[in-house]
Amino acid sequence: MKFSLRREVLLKPLQQVSNVVEKRQTLPVLSNLLLQVNEQQLKLTATDLEVELQASVNLEQPADNGEITVPARKLHDICRSLPDGVDITLEVDGDKCKVRAGRSRYTLSTLPASDFPNTEQLQADTRLSIEQKALGSLLSSAAFAMALQDIRYFLNGMLLDLKENQLRAVATDGHRLACSQMALENTQGKQLIVPRKAILEMLRLLEDEEEIADLELGDKHIRMHLPGLIFTSKLIDGTYPDYEAVIPVGVDNIIQANRELMIETIRRTAILSNEKYRAIRLEVAGSTLRLSAHNTQQEEAVEEMEVDYQGQDLKVVFNFAYLLDAMNALKSEQVQICLRDAMTSCLIKDPEDDSQQHVVMPLKL
């Protein structure tokens, strides 16, 4: 196998696929990239057995077909450190891969391509085509609420729920919940739980533009096709909680305020909050919202701001980080905090758009 590419052309797909490779691997070959040359096209593939990313690059210079695996991090670091504009040539010589660029020479160890894991055949029963910008917005609006290493493994990911011509992205860690939705035509009822790593990788790959992302959904895998890229991930096998039962409805106590002002006020108050509980107290009466926090050093912060409020006087305590995450996920000028009482969850949303809904449980201190 032999091929040559301009450094800039090779570096981008190399960076993309190398992100999938974990630093610590149980199998040596998982630290490698699979390089395949066939009919003037180079394919680079990386996997950790849960997710797989394949990038394709057209070769303009003559190339010899073949396949081999090479150390991902080392090849990436070599290409990144080379000067702009050089041509990089990779050639397999026995069990070694020789890399040449200008007056630079490198020799890398290899492993046979036959050792590289094959992706399981994807049996897709649902196919969707969505603008990259819209899909990225949908996923990012809920991603912050995914659990991290929760014993309830099905929470360590995001639910994609297709129903009633809608696609919903739902995430929860048991203390807060984020639900974002978009309209889709001709969708069939289907639910799948996508792992946290896969969601973060999809967000990294999606670009803020109108190009289309094609999704293939199966019972065990999800696959995303982008220009020059194919991303595949296994799904989490489990039953997601009934998230619709958690979202408050018919709430009468509604605080409405400028979103940016509310964020700034919460951040200032949180400076003196308890580092363990991150608690901040909200007291609302009439048109005045009073925010307060204190810590074990007997320090206290108090802020007041004018709000539009409908409802009875209330005092409730929240984790300030959860409030900030929910409000930062919104893009609106105004924000609504919908409360039933001091003991039940609140709903945070855009007063003019129900496509994003965030639920935060109160603290009971």
Side-chain angles (χ1 to χ4, degrees), residues 80-359:
R80 188 178 58 179
S81 63
L82 289 169
D84 290 340
V86 300
D87 283 339
I88 299 175
T89 300
L90 275 78
E91 181 178 6
V92 176
D93 183 7
D95 61 352
K96 301 295 183 182
C97 177
K98 294 184 177 180
V99 182
R100 300 197 312 272
R103 302 176 69 177
S104 302
R105 301 289 185 272
Y106 305 90
T107 302
L108 297 175
S109 60
T110 66
L111 290 171
S114 58
D115 291 352
F116 200 79
N118 292 320
T119 305
E120 295 180 36
Q121 191 68 28
L122 175 62
Q123 301 294 331
D125 52 32
T126 303
R127 289 175 170 80
L128 306 173
S129 295
I130 307 173
E131 283 187 4
Q132 291 192 40
K133 182 178 181 179
L135 180 58
S137 177
L138 179 82
L139 299 181
S140 64
S141 297
F144 68 88
M146 291 187 294
L148 178 63
Q149 297 180 335
D150 196 294
I151 190 172
R152 298 161 293 182
Y153 59 92
F154 47 83
L155 297 186
N156 299 321
M158 180 182 293
L159 173 71
L160 297 184
D161 187 9
L162 281 79
K163 58 192 303 183
E164 300 172 357
N165 292 328
Q166 286 184 339
L167 171 59
R168 291 181 179 177
V170 183
T172 180
D173 59 6
H175 303 287
R176 49 162 172 196
L177 178 142
C179 177
S180 180
Q181 65 185 36
M182 65 182 295
L184 278 183
E185 295 181 358
N186 303 320
T187 55
Q188 303 175 4
K190 186 177 183 66
Q191 288 191 342
L192 53 154
I193 307 174
V194 185
R196 177 187 178 88
K197 179 177 179 178
I199 291 295
L200 297 179
E201 191 63 29
M202 290 171 72
L203 284 171
R204 188 180 65 82
L205 296 173
L206 289 167
E207 297 182 357
D208 191 18
E209 55 187 41
E210 296 180 356
E211 284 200 57
I212 297 299
D214 293 313
L215 299 179
E216 296 180 54
L217 313 179
D219 292 332
K220 296 183 179 180
H221 295 83
I222 180 173
R223 177 168 290 163
M224 179 173 71
H225 295 260
L226 300 174
L229 293 169
I230 301 175
F231 175 76
T232 308
S233 171
K234 291 183 179 179
L235 300 176
I236 296 176
D237 184 14
T239 303
Y240 209 78
D242 182 8
Y243 66 91
E244 292 180 306
V246 176
I247 300 175
V249 293
V251 181
D252 298 326
N253 304 308
I254 301 175
I255 302 170
Q256 182 166 323
N258 180 278
R259 186 177 65 90
E260 289 292 342
L261 180 58
M262 177 75 81
I263 289 172
E264 292 171 3
T265 306
I266 292 174
R267 282 176 175 163
R268 287 197 303 269
T269 310
I271 293 171
L272 297 183
S273 67
N274 185 294
E275 293 184 4
K276 180 179 180 181
Y277 298 107
R278 296 184 165 190
I280 186 170
R281 182 185 299 274
L282 277 61
E283 301 178 50
V284 60
S287 61
T288 301
L289 175 63
R290 186 174 187 266
L291 300 94
S292 59
H294 61 272
N295 55 35
T296 54
Q297 284 80 42
Q298 315 265 314
E299 297 168 330
E300 185 179 29
V302 178
E303 290 268 357
E304 290 187 353
M305 61 181 291
E306 292 296 309
V307 296
D308 292 330
Y309 181 61
Q310 303 171 10
Q312 59 186 351
D313 295 356
L314 276 177
K315 297 180 181 180
V316 60
V317 180
F318 292 106
N319 180 317
F320 74 82
Y322 293 169
L323 295 179
L324 290 176
D325 284 344
M327 292 182 189
N328 282 322
L330 299 173
K331 304 294 185 238
S332 57
E333 181 179 341
Q334 297 285 310
V335 63
Q336 279 188 348
I337 303 177
C338 307
L339 300 156
R340 180 169 284 115
D341 53 51
M343 304 301 291
T344 55
S345 299
C346 80
L347 175 65
I348 299 174
K349 67 184 188 73
D350 178 348
E352 298 180 357
D353 183 7
D354 288 332
S355 65
Q356 292 186 50
Q357 296 180 312
H358 306 290
V359 180

